[in-house]
Amino acid sequence: MFKFFWGKGAHQSAERLKIQKELFQFQKTAQHGFPSKPTSLAWDPVLRLLCMGTRTGALKIFGAPGVEFYGQLPKDKIICSLHFVPGHGRVIVVCEDNSLQLWDISTDGSPALKCVHSQSLEGKLKKISACCIESSGEHLLIGTENGNIYIMDLVKLEMTDSVIYLDVVMQNVTEDFKVNPGAVECVSEQPNSADHILIGYTRGLLVLWNRKTLSAVQTFVASQQLESVSWHPNGKKFVSAHNDGSYMVWTLGQEETDMFVKKEPNTISHYGPDPCKAITKILWSNTDECGIFVFGGGMPRLAYGDRYTLSVVKGEKTHATYDFTSKVIDFCLISDVTTGQAEALVVLAEEELIVIDLISPGWPTFSLPYLASLHCSAVTAQTVVTVTSELYDKIKANPQGMTPSSKVSTRPWPINGGISFSEQVDQPSHRILLLTGHEDGSVRFWDASTASLFQISKFSTSSCFSSDDLDCTAESDEREIDEDEWPPFRKIGVFDPYSDDPRLAVKKLCLCPVTGLLTVAGTAGQVVVAELFEMQSEKEVPIVLVNIVSDRDNFVWKGHDKLVVRKGLLSFKPGFQPTSVLQLHPPAAATALALNAEWSVLAVGTAHGLTLYDITVKKEVVAKCTLNPNDVSGTGEQPMSRRKSFKKSLRESFRRLRKGRSQHSNAINNAGPSIAAEVRPVERQIEARNVMLDDGMGSMVRCLLLVKTYVISQSSNATATLWAGTNSGAIYVFSLNIQTGNRRHVEPVNAQLAKEIQLKHRAPVVSINIIDASYAAIGESFENSGIKSTSESCPPHRVVISSEEQFKVFTLPNLRPYGKYKLTAYTGCKVRRVAVVPFTARSDPSYKENCLVCLSNQGDFHILSLPELRRQMNAQAIRKEDIHATSTVVLTNQGEAFYMLSSSELQRVALSARNSLQLKCKVIGMKNTQAPVESSSQAVIKICTSKEEKQEVVMETEFSDVSVISNTSNPNEDRENDKNICNNEINNSTIVSVEPETSFGDMTVDSVKDHIVLSLDECRITEVASETRIEQVKTEVSSVISLHETSNISNVISIEESYSITPDETKVNVHLESEMEKNRMVSQECTVSDSHGTLDVTVTKDSTELLAEENVETSK
């Protein structure tokens, strides 16, 4: 009756709770990839930091690799623009709702950004249109659509009374321009002259305004609508960009007669005379030879109006028009600290970030150490593999398919602010690789060992196949730049929104972490086997055809055709090279894939069945069709669905719940409290699925496993086996006969069906895991370095079968039920991902536990012990509405998980308390704009000249482990502050500002009893230890006083003891009073902290001696 309460982990003792906190801890650690929907960019030239904002309110600051800071605005906040306060570690965020927010970089080493102030401008006339921060960082100039400029004090964090009104500015403007100039388009401070600001209005009026005299120094009138302005670094010239695709260079007048410049200079339009689009933004900077202009837009409307371009013009000869595949959002120039010359151009596009080297010849691009474009082609599959260091070096040494080295800059990364203290996950001899499969048939390899995710290699399966689109793409590789072409376009960026053939899309990936054997399964039933080679080669790729539904004569395939494999000799570059192609019929998408590099076999499953392939002899071993004989439609294109019988069972369960509650209350009222414990909890009734009424997708193979275990009852030796689970709850176990040594190449692999299991509830089988006597997962020795090989495991073995609704453990080889956990019946959620993960204690590396980690469709992680399946921890990680994120979760053997936050960004989550990637970084050299706050640890000395005035001395003096503090301080407050500091450190270790919902079992009466008994035992030990500690303090204090008191002074020591149940509150007060010269004494309180409690000591000494001691301390 109490099986649910006592058998599934509801009762947790105090000791067990401590162990759980040592093993498990949920944290959102890092984010990889490119932020979704970016809106703005900002650059701090002093601290060398880059800030990005998005439409979802995400705020991110990047510096040197590993230096990252995150902040999140409320959901209804859309970031419009960002402005750094140079050198202060602050950023101003302008939101779409006409509000301003001030965010500070954390100084405690955590990657957190803190919002310190929020300001909203009310009224439609105060709509923010432009902002400018003073070079001193003290004020923010806010231009509005009504033409007024408001000023905000960034030190006091309040709006000032000073306003630059449009009417006042217009009084100083020439009579020829007395119309309304429109909104403030830009505000820019003049270099080398902080009192002058350049105000630009929409209709073309520009005014150089003196903030001291409140008058216009010079006025400039342009005939075209103004879009952007930029100063020359010397402050004597500026350039203005306009909506007709032209820009003008203005020179400031040197004489008094040149106050008003009525004649506009010659317009410059590089892509005229045809009508051109507006130049949205322009920048002007210095280089080693001449000035350089960077502007966005300005292309001819008819010919190239649909292109996303950015033009860079240096002098009269150097001109490049960069052609992007996504919209250009913003860009900025990075100047060298010493010379002030432009060294790099940072371009924020809608789908990627590009940094161009402006110093190296040819202007190559930098290799991104972070903000990688994961979705350069849409991500369709992903997996995480822990590889050996040797294999990692081989993959990195052959960066196949990446940008040629001639087009990659060799200069150091220019965004290098801050210092990173982050370390990689606890894997000294291994590296973590993230493999992503894409829509174009490519596989990209990413180094995920640290907080900075960067690409190390690429393998493309499209080179094995031929079609009209693929042939055109292959011929049009990197083409040379035509110097005679105008505009001089240069293709740039890696984002490719177009797919040559949707059948190339990768569905499943497997990589051997030792040998580097790679298998890639695609959408059209193709499986490419590739190996790592260090030399270029020419060879023909063999193809093996396998018909899965050969025994179904009346089967008709209504889907897409298979891909055509290239024939003849093919040339392959060093790196991953295909060795064979397995083509399945029907050419349906692969739904499961398993690889064993030691046996040189792979298994692949589809919606129609499965097959086993021998990689060595390139031959089919066995093919099993899982189709129902009554279902031979063969469409295979509908998404997976199930009969909605769960709705009926859920409705009935609610009825039973209401009935049970009424019976529960009546039983309590009639029989008393003793009967209440006998009421059994209501479980959801899960009905069995009827195969005849299924929609035809019950034949889909959901999981595959190649492992050596015990399946034959009469044999005491382990057998090589293949396990397969389907969507209808059927499990097939094949025994394999694999030869070793030289006979492996002669005799083929044999397979026969050994066992067939059918789950009663017919729920889809999500995962199959084999565990040994230590409950560690047993797998192929080369497939994953975190899983034990069969030779290292010890019997007895057990199999953990995870369906969508429950977990079941069976003994091997007899398949006797050992235990089960009904997840759907208890919680109402369904299983999506399962893995057996070893967890290591945080403080003791020798203590490990193997647990079952499960992700449900509600977005929460469940950790269950093995083999009892007791609940250890629940953590809510993903919103249940985010189906895309839930479907992309990948679990690792380090107790981590990866899932897609969006189509371009990856979230990293830690479930292990030990293997958690902690982001620790700090920015050095930030200026503090706030008033300094005196901390309790600082020594403050206030000495009065008059003897009658009270003297206050607060200092730190160490006598052994004794520290002196002020009488005004409260020890209880100090303890609370220490606790708050610890809590803040824990909270700041995660990116999210709100702690996730994490639970370690349920608190019961027995767990409370265990906690009280444990506390009382500790108190008895502490009481004895405290008595010994009191005698030690007497001796220490006596020795201290003997150094400062003469022999004729008598001391009186009084001891007060107070004990509490909590050992941390044990307190001993020792008071020392000198009977002589009490009128010249200053009472001070000493605190002695040790592992047994806190001892408060009050010492009285001569004030002159204290002052002398303080002078000695300050001189030191």
Side-chain angles (χ1 to χ4, degrees):
M1 183 175 292
F2 299 104
K3 183 178 181 180
F4 172 67
F5 284 108
W6 304 105
K8 297 306 172 189
H11 164 68
Q12 301 287 352
S13 64
E15 285 294 332
R16 182 58 190 169
L17 289 175
K18 287 185 178 180
I19 295 176
Q20 287 176 344
K21 292 181 180 180
E22 282 286 316
L23 294 173
F24 317 114
Q25 183 179 6
F26 174 82
Q27 286 183 333
K28 291 185 177 181
T29 54
Q31 294 176 359
H32 302 303
F34 185 77
S36 177
K37 300 178 181 179
T39 57
S40 56
L41 187 71
W43 168 252
D44 189 335
V46 179
L47 300 178
R48 317 261 319 164
L49 299 175
L50 187 73
C51 184
M52 294 176 57
T54 67
R55 289 188 61 84
T56 58
L59 187 66
K60 301 186 177 184
I61 295 179
F62 301 92
V67 178
E68 300 179 9
F69 299 93
Y70 304 96
Q72 180 63 50
L73 278 68
K75 293 182 179 179
D76 56 343
K77 300 283 187 181
I78 299 176
I79 298 176
C80 292
S81 62
L82 300 171
H83 306 273
F84 260 116
V85 183
H88 292 74
R90 286 185 160 189
V91 62
I92 305 292
V93 181
V94 181
C95 302
E96 196 179 46
D97 61 351
N98 209 41
S99 64
L100 295 170
Q101 292 192 6
L102 179 62
W103 289 74
D104 278 359
I105 295 177
S106 177
T107 58
D108 57 359
S110 65
L113 292 174
K114 301 176 183 178
C115 182
V116 297
H117 181 70
S118 181
Q119 181 77 37
S120 180
L121 275 70
E122 300 178 355
K124 294 183 179 180
L125 297 178
K126 292 185 178 181
K127 179 66 177 178
I128 300 174
S129 59
C131 288
C132 175
I133 296 179
E134 292 181 350
S135 57
S136 62
E138 296 180 356
H139 294 90
L140 172 68
L141 306 179
I142 306 171
T144 58
E145 290 188 354
N146 64 351
N148 297 335
I149 298 177
Y150 300 88
I151 301 175
M152 178 181 179
D153 192 332
L154 297 180
V155 179
K156 299 180 180 179
L157 301 179
E158 60 183 14
M159 300 296 293
T160 63
D161 297 334
S162 177
V163 180
I164 303 176
Y165 290 101
L166 176 63
D167 298 338
V168 178
V169 175
M170 294 300 294
Q171 292 176 1
N172 297 273
V173 177
T174 177
E175 296 293 335
D176 297 340
F177 202 93
K178 283 299 183 181
V179 296
N180 187 353
V184 177
E185 196 67 35
C186 56
V187 182
S188 181
E189 183 182 289
Q190 182 181 4
N192 306 323
S193 181
D195 296 333
H196 292 173
I197 59 172
L198 182 64
I199 307 173
Y201 297 93
T202 303
R203 293 190 177 180
L205 175 65
L206 296 102
V207 178
L208 184 62
W209 185 260
N210 191 325
R211 296 179 58 189
K212 279 192 174 182
T213 61
L214 301 180
S215 61
V217 179
Q218 283 183 315
T219 304
F220 313 91
V221 180
S223 59
Q224 298 294 331
Q225 180 175 320
L226 181 67
E227 295 289 337
S228 175
V229 299
S230 178
W231 282 99
H232 190 273
N234 60 15
K236 298 178 180 180
K237 299 178 182 180
F238 68 90
V239 61
S240 62
H242 303 275
N243 68 337
D244 63 344
S246 65
Y247 63 88
M248 308 176 189
V249 177
W250 305 80
T251 304
L252 301 185
Q254 301 296 331
E255 301 178 0
E256 296 180 357
T257 57
D258 296 334
M259 178 177 177
F260 298 105
V261 179
K262 298 181 181 180
K263 185 178 179 180
E264 64 181 9
N266 296 329
T267 60
I268 303 174
S269 179
H270 291 282
Y271 309 117
D274 295 336
C276 298
K277 299 186 70 175
I279 295 178
T280 56
K281 182 179 179 180
I282 191 168
L283 296 177
W284 192 5
S285 182
N286 268 337
T287 59
D288 53 352
E289 300 174 357
C290 54
I292 184 171
F293 292 95
V294 182
F295 57 90
M299 302 302 296
R301 290 182 179 273
L302 294 178
Y304 307 107
D306 58 343
R307 295 203 182 187
Y308 308 115
T309 61
L310 189 70
S311 301
V312 182
V313 181
K314 180 181 178 182
E316 298 179 357
K317 297 182 179 180
T318 309
H319 188 142
T321 304
Y322 291 102
D323 189 5
F324 296 85
T325 55
S326 59
K327 182 181 178 182
V328 177
I329 303 298
D330 202 354
F331 56 92
C332 65
L333 283 172
I334 297 179
S335 300
D336 187 80
V337 179
T338 57
T339 62
Q341 297 179 0
E343 62 172 340
L345 172 63
V346 182
V347 185
L348 175 63
E350 193 174 22
E351 303 293 346
E352 60 184 329
L353 182 78
I354 299 173
V355 183
I356 303 172
D357 184 2
L358 297 178
I359 294 181
S360 300
W363 293 345
T365 57
F366 284 94
S367 179
L368 298 179
Y370 45 76
L371 289 174
S373 182
L374 294 172
H375 66 309
C376 48
S377 177
V379 179
T380 55
Q382 58 183 356
T383 185
V384 178
V385 183
T386 305
V387 301
T388 61
S389 300
E390 293 78 9
L391 178 60
Y392 175 85
D393 296 335
K394 289 182 181 179
I395 296 175
K396 192 174 182 180
N398 299 281
Q400 182 186 24
M402 297 180 62
T403 307
S405 58
S406 60
K407 297 185 178 181
V408 177
S409 176
T410 57
R411 298 181 63 250
W413 179 246
I415 307 171
N416 52 10
I419 299 176
S420 174
F421 304 100
S422 303
E423 299 179 356
Q424 69 179 40
V425 180
D426 190 13
Q427 291 288 330
S429 60
H430 297 81
R431 302 298 290 266
I432 301 176
L433 286 186
L434 170 68
L435 276 64
T436 55
H438 299 269
E439 190 180 25
D440 61 353
S442 63
V443 179
R444 285 172 168 83
F445 300 81
W446 310 86
D447 187 348
S449 302
T450 60
S452 298
L453 184 77
F454 58 92
Q455 185 177 352
I456 62 173
S457 186
K458 174 187 173 183
F459 170 66
S460 181
T461 61
S462 61
S463 60
C464 302
F465 305 98
S466 63
S467 68
D468 295 338
D469 296 333
L470 295 178
D471 288 339
C472 296
T473 305
E475 293 175 0
S476 61
D477 281 337
E478 300 295 335
R479 57 189 180 94
E480 297 294 335
I481 299 174
D482 188 1
E483 297 180 356
D484 297 333
E485 182 185 8
W486 191 262
F489 288 115
R490 291 190 189 181
K491 287 286 185 180
I492 193 170
V494 296
F495 176 73
D496 184 9
Y498 308 106
S499 175
D500 298 325
D501 195 330
R503 296 176 294 175
L504 289 172
V506 177
K507 289 298 182 181
K508 295 294 177 181
L509 290 166
C510 279
L511 175 69
C512 174
V514 178
T515 63
L517 184 63
L518 176 67
T519 55
V520 184
T523 304
Q526 76 276 16
V527 182
V528 180
V529 181
E531 295 182 12
L532 194 60
F533 294 93
E534 298 181 357
M535 300 296 292
Q536 185 175 354
S537 64
E538 288 187 2
K539 56 186 175 182
E540 184 177 0
V541 180
I543 180 173
V544 179
L545 299 176
V546 177
N547 191 348
I548 298 179
V549 294
S550 58
D551 56 344
R552 303 291 192 267
D553 297 334
N554 53 350
F555 177 83
V556 179
W557 170 249
K558 300 177 182 178
H560 48 244
D561 295 332
K562 64 181 181 180
L563 288 168
V564 179
V565 179
R566 292 177 183 268
K567 297 181 180 180
L569 294 177
L570 301 178
S571 177
F572 298 102
K573 296 180 180 180
F576 285 97
Q577 299 177 5
T579 57
S580 63
V581 175
L582 174 66
Q583 180 62 57
L584 305 179
H585 178 78
T591 58
L593 185 66
L595 170 68
N596 191 310
E598 184 181 11
W599 302 342
S600 189
V601 294
L602 70 88
V604 58
T606 66
H608 308 96
L610 60 101
T611 184
L612 184 67
Y613 176 67
D614 191 341
I615 300 175
T616 302
V617 298
K618 298 177 177 58
K619 184 180 178 181
E620 167 197 353
V621 177
V622 66
K624 171 67 177 177
C625 181
T626 57
L627 281 175
N628 190 309
N630 299 320
D631 178 32
V632 289
S633 61
T635 55
E637 293 299 312
Q638 299 91 353
M640 184 186 68
S641 62
R642 297 172 60 190
R643 190 168 58 89
K644 301 298 186 291
S645 60
F646 180 73
K647 184 183 297 184
K648 179 181 178 181
S649 63
L650 189 62
R651 187 185 302 113
E652 293 177 354
S653 65
F654 276 113
R655 292 175 182 172
R656 289 191 298 270
L657 181 62
R658 287 193 294 268
K659 183 178 179 181
R661 286 179 177 174
S662 60
Q663 294 176 353
H664 177 77
S665 58
N666 294 334
I668 292 177
N669 295 331
N670 297 332
S674 60
I675 308 296
E678 298 181 2
V679 179
R680 183 186 175 116
V682 179
E683 297 182 5
R684 296 169 176 82
Q685 182 178 356
I686 307 301
E687 298 180 358
R689 273 69 181 170
N690 192 342
V691 179
M692 300 298 295
L693 297 178
D694 207 332
D695 57 359
M697 298 306 294
S699 60
M700 178 184 292
V701 177
R702 292 290 297 271
C703 59
L704 292 168
L705 177 65
L706 288 165
V707 65
K708 198 170 185 180
T709 185
Y710 303 92
V711 293
I712 302 176
S713 302
Q714 295 80 10
S715 176
S716 59
N717 298 326
T719 307
T721 59
L722 167 63
W723 296 68
T726 67
N727 220 25
S728 59
I731 301 169
Y732 303 96
V733 184
F734 294 86
S735 62
L736 309 179
N737 182 15
I738 302 175
Q739 301 296 330
T740 59
N742 297 329
R743 300 177 59 186
R744 177 68 177 83
H745 299 273
V746 179
E747 297 185 13
V749 178
N750 296 323
Q752 59 181 358
L753 185 63
K755 294 180 183 296
E756 185 174 347
I757 307 169
Q758 178 64 56
L759 301 180
K760 290 184 179 180
H761 59 294
R762 296 184 180 276
V765 180
V766 178
S767 175
I768 300 175
N769 299 96
I770 308 294
I771 58 176
D772 62 359
S774 62
Y775 317 128
I778 308 171
E780 49 274 22
S781 59
F782 291 154
E783 176 59 22
N784 202 315
S785 58
I787 298 180
K788 284 187 177 181
S789 62
T790 310
S791 59
E792 298 174 354
S793 62
C794 53
H797 289 181
R798 298 179 179 90
V799 57
V800 182
I801 299 176
S802 307
S803 69
E804 275 193 353
E805 296 165 357
Q806 63 183 6
F807 308 101
K808 283 189 175 182
V809 181
F810 297 92
T811 60
L812 290 176
N814 297 323
L815 291 177
R816 294 177 181 175
Y818 186 86
K820 66 180 177 179
Y821 184 87
K822 299 179 181 179
L823 183 69
T824 304
Y826 298 153
T827 64
C829 55
K830 295 183 179 181
V831 180
R832 287 292 177 261
R833 294 287 187 275
V834 177
V836 176
V837 179
F839 289 90
T840 306
R842 192 203 318 261
S843 57
D844 186 8
S846 61
Y847 183 81
K848 295 182 180 180
E849 285 189 11
N850 296 284
C851 298
L852 190 72
V853 179
C854 157
L855 172 75
S856 71
N857 63 339
Q858 301 294 325
D860 50 353
F861 288 97
H862 300 261
I863 300 180
L864 306 175
S865 64
L866 288 174
E868 298 87 0
L869 298 178
R870 296 180 183 271
R871 185 167 62 91
Q872 302 299 309
M873 187 187 78
N874 291 353
Q876 182 68 34
I878 310 172
R879 293 181 297 107
K880 60 181 180 181
E881 298 85 5
D882 196 350
I883 302 176
H884 177 259
T886 306
S887 62
T888 58
V889 171
V890 177
L891 298 171
T892 71
N893 292 308
Q894 289 76 34
E896 290 186 300
F898 294 79
Y899 64 89
M900 299 295 292
L901 272 178
S902 62
S903 61
S904 60
E905 200 168 12
L906 201 66
Q907 176 68 62
R908 192 168 188 162
V909 172
L911 301 173
S912 172
R914 180 178 180 85
N915 296 334
S916 177
L917 182 65
Q918 297 290 341
L919 278 176
K920 297 179 182 179
C921 49
K922 192 173 184 180
V923 179
I924 300 176
M926 290 192 302
K927 302 176 185 177
N928 188 10
T929 56
Q930 296 180 344
V933 181
E934 297 182 35
S935 61
S936 59
S937 62
Q938 293 177 342
V940 181
I941 303 177
K942 299 180 180 179
I943 302 177
C944 303
T945 54
S946 176
K947 292 183 180 181
E948 288 81 4
E949 291 179 315
K950 183 179 180 180
Q951 299 181 0
E952 180 181 358
V953 180
V954 182
M955 61 183 179
E956 292 184 358
T957 308
E958 295 184 359
F959 301 114
S960 180
D961 55 350
V962 181
S963 61
V964 182
I965 62 175
S966 165
N967 277 331
T968 58
S969 63
N970 189 353
N972 295 327
E973 293 180 358
D974 292 338
R975 296 191 194 100
E976 294 178 359
N977 293 334
D978 292 339
K979 292 178 181 179
N980 293 333
I981 292 173
C982 295
N983 293 333
N984 290 334
E985 290 176 357
I986 295 175
N987 293 337
N988 289 333
S989 63
T990 60
I991 294 173
V992 291
S993 58
V994 181
E995 280 295 309
E997 297 180 1
T998 306
S999 61
F1000 293 93
D1002 299 325
M1003 185 61 69
T1004 61
V1005 176
D1006 290 339
S1007 63
V1008 175
K1009 290 180 180 179
D1010 294 339
H1011 180 70
I1012 294 176
V1013 171
L1014 183 63
S1015 300
L1016 291 176
D1017 293 339
E1018 292 180 354
C1019 289
R1020 296 187 188 99
I1021 299 172
T1022 304
E1023 182 175 356
V1024 177
S1026 297
E1027 293 178 356
T1028 306
R1029 185 61 180 157
I1030 292 171
E1031 299 298 331
Q1032 295 178 0
V1033 171
K1034 290 180 183 179
T1035 307
E1036 291 176 358
V1037 173
S1038 300
S1039 61
V1040 170
I1041 297 301
S1042 62
L1043 296 176
H1044 301 279
E1045 297 286 348
T1046 57
S1047 58
N1048 58 349
I1049 297 179
S1050 60
N1051 299 322
V1052 179
I1053 302 177
S1054 60
I1055 301 176
E1056 301 175 2
E1057 299 184 17
S1058 59
Y1059 291 94
S1060 175
I1061 294 179
T1062 305
D1064 293 338
E1065 296 180 359
T1066 305
K1067 183 183 297 184
V1068 180
N1069 297 326
V1070 182
H1071 300 280
L1072 302 179
E1073 296 182 358
S1074 176
E1075 295 180 352
M1076 300 179 62
E1077 303 190 357
K1078 288 184 179 181
N1079 55 345
R1080 299 177 58 195
M1081 296 299 174
V1082 177
S1083 178
Q1084 299 190 1
E1085 184 176 344
C1086 304
T1087 302
V1088 180
S1089 301
D1090 65 348
S1091 59
H1092 305 293
T1094 303
L1095 310 178
D1096 295 335
V1097 184
T1098 302
V1099 184
T1100 59
K1101 294 188 290 187
D1102 191 289
S1103 60
T1104 58
E1105 296 178 359
L1106 292 176
L1107 293 176
E1109 292 172 4
E1110 181 59 26
N1111 292 332
V1112 173
E1113 291 292 328
T1114 55
S1115 64
K1116 291 182 179 179

